[in-house]
Amino acid sequence: MQKLEQELWNLKMKGSEIAAYTAGFSDLALLYPGMVTLESKKVERYIWGLTPPTQGNVLAAKPLTFDSAKRMAETIIDHGRHQDAMTVILD
């Protein structure tokens, strides 16, 4: 059990891999629900593992549920990818 707890505690988003991070977080939260018993704790823990720019934007939105935090993070990352694609096209 301690290994799962450590894995959830140390889980971090890598680059813009929001889908992989969210899936990993969801799986670990299901395997070790004692770490995120309250919805607010789950939201806090999820946001903590996001990359710093995404983390700040999601925190500013003050999501109350895991689903709203997840949607906000995905929207921010998707927007960033879209902006990067537009920059490449315009260059």
Side-chain angles (χ1 to χ4, degrees):
M1 275 306 204
Q2 272 190 333
K3 185 177 186 231
L4 290 176
E5 181 180 352
Q6 204 59 16
E7 203 172 328
L8 180 58
W9 211 241
N10 293 326
L11 186 65
K12 300 270 190 203
M13 186 174 132
K14 291 171 180 68
S16 61
E17 296 299 321
I18 190 70
Y21 170 68
T22 300
F25 180 88
S26 296
D27 290 346
L28 289 169
L30 284 172
L31 289 171
Y32 199 76
M35 283 193 65
V36 287
T37 52
L38 300 173
E39 187 73 8
S40 60
K41 193 63 156 168
K42 190 173 185 179
V43 169
E44 178 185 322
R45 187 69 218 125
Y46 178 76
I47 293 172
W48 190 82
L50 295 169
T51 56
T54 306
Q55 191 180 71
N57 286 316
V58 175
L59 276 171
K62 298 180 181 171
L64 298 176
T65 66
F66 171 64
D67 286 338
S68 62
K70 181 175 68 169
R71 277 194 306 275
M72 175 58 90
E74 290 168 348
T75 300
I76 291 165
I77 294 297
D78 288 345
H79 180 72
R81 286 182 184 143
H82 178 71
Q83 292 293 355
D84 289 346
M86 290 301 292
T87 301
V88 170
I89 291 170
L90 295 174
D91 285 347

